[in-house]
Amino acid sequence: EEIAYVTNLDKVPAASTNNDVFTLRLDEPRAKAVKVSTSPGSDDEPEFSPDGKYLAFRSQARDGFESDRFRLMVMDRERKTIRQLIPKFDNWVDEFIWSDDSRWIYFTAGDRGQEVIYGANVISDDLYRFGRTAGEWSSLTQVPGKDELVAALMRVDKPTEIALADLIALNESIRTVHVVSEGPSYDVTPSSLPAHFLTHIDEGVLSQLDLSPLESFWFTGAEGTKVEGFLINPPGFDPAKKYPVKFLMHGGPQTAWGDAWSFRWNWELMAANGYVVV
């Protein structure tokens, strides 16, 4: 009966981030498009809930600021009201999907170099982080009728494969994100989300290579800010020896480098000829 889409109607769209969400009735011959979003920043990725009661989308508050935080908005289609879900969550909301029962929204968000799976309850605003697996999750799809997601998972030492994420495995991997006034606070050493790889396309090639995992370290930046950095050791690394360093400057503020495979900026390749890569 209705579609939702995104477009930018500013006079110079290339100079603007003001994408907006519109809806259009398909069962009314003379229906006109209705602008749903109200933010001057970018609004995108509209998704109807399976029961048709809600329309969710991502939203940035500021125009012209590409690295502004993406928030998660939910519109009650009957009441025509929009509210921000989990308003105190201070990370970007990346891609998301609805649960089969329309009660939850599963989404990914950056978390100290990883791309983690979260779940937000549409009714209660409860927020859960489902463990923390090395790598980056994307392309989430719920297994019908189960608390499982099929998704793409990659690491700095492993190109994308399809994996199964069990969201309730013994309830040990679920960690509630305690929302406090200054933002979410959570355990700094969370357990891993059980992940079972369903594909092994690159296993034959990877078994022939000496690939190092991503290592994290923290340092003090400008104005005493704590900043996270990452490094990759070369093949056959000997901690007793000194190595030259390749210092990669790219990354941010729109995005960040993390535990992800790249065919363009491949850390493992840059470390392969005897360099420590930072």
Side-chain angles (χ1 to χ4, degrees), residues 6-247:
V6 176
T7 191
N8 186 324
L9 296 182
D10 283 5
K11 291 183 178 180
V12 186
S16 166
T17 63
N18 190 21
N19 305 308
D20 278 307
V21 176
F22 289 79
T23 59
L24 178 65
R25 297 290 300 188
L26 302 180
D27 56 353
E28 298 176 8
R30 297 182 181 180
K32 294 183 179 180
V34 177
K35 187 165 78 76
V36 170
S37 56
T38 59
S39 168
S42 178
D43 300 283
D44 65 19
E45 199 179 339
E47 298 283 350
F48 290 107
S49 59
D51 62 9
K53 292 182 179 179
Y54 304 103
L55 177 66
F57 57 92
R58 303 190 314 152
S59 178
Q60 290 182 318
R62 289 176 283 181
D63 184 22
F65 186 47
E66 293 181 351
S67 54
D68 195 23
R69 178 168 58 100
F70 268 109
R71 304 163 298 157
L72 186 58
M73 314 300 289
V74 175
M75 173 185 177
D76 186 313
R77 297 180 63 221
E78 182 178 355
R79 298 179 180 178
K80 307 298 182 183
T81 56
I82 298 176
R83 68 184 180 94
Q84 181 181 347
L85 200 63
I86 49 170
K88 294 180 180 179
F89 182 70
D90 68 348
N91 290 344
W92 273 36
V93 171
D94 292 322
E95 62 178 76
F96 68 89
I97 61 169
W98 284 92
S99 65
D100 290 342
D101 59 9
S102 300
R103 294 179 56 206
W104 292 85
I105 292 178
Y106 301 120
F107 65 93
T108 59
D111 181 9
R112 302 191 301 281
Q114 316 295 333
E115 189 76 5
V116 181
I117 299 175
Y118 291 82
N121 189 291
V122 179
I123 307 302
S124 64
D125 255 14
D126 287 341
L127 176 64
Y128 291 90
R129 185 188 61 198
F130 297 105
R132 196 161 170 265
T133 301
E136 293 191 357
W137 291 94
S138 62
S139 304
L140 306 179
T141 303
Q142 185 177 9
V143 179
K146 295 185 178 181
D147 291 313
E148 297 175 339
L149 300 178
V150 172
L153 178 61
M154 64 175 171
R155 302 193 304 260
V156 74
D157 59 347
K158 189 179 182 66
T160 302
E161 298 277 9
I162 305 303
L164 181 70
D166 186 344
L167 300 182
I168 61 170
L170 302 178
N171 288 328
E172 292 179 353
S173 66
I174 297 179
R175 294 292 181 268
T176 302
V177 179
H178 303 284
V179 179
V180 292
S181 58
E182 63 273 17
S185 117
Y186 39 71
D187 184 2
V188 295
T189 55
S191 62
S192 293
L193 170 65
H196 172 65
F197 281 100
L198 303 177
T199 61
H200 306 275
I201 296 172
D202 297 299
E203 211 167 64
V205 175
L206 296 178
S207 65
Q208 303 174 44
L209 303 176
D210 182 2
L211 302 178
S212 301
L214 188 72
E215 296 184 22
S216 169
F217 64 94
W218 290 83
F219 61 96
T220 301
E223 300 181 359
T225 302
K226 290 184 178 179
V227 183
E228 185 179 23
F230 305 99
L231 64 84
I232 294 281
N233 290 320
F237 177 74
D238 183 352
K241 296 182 179 179
K242 288 188 177 181
Y243 291 84
V245 168
K246 291 179 181 177
F247 189 63

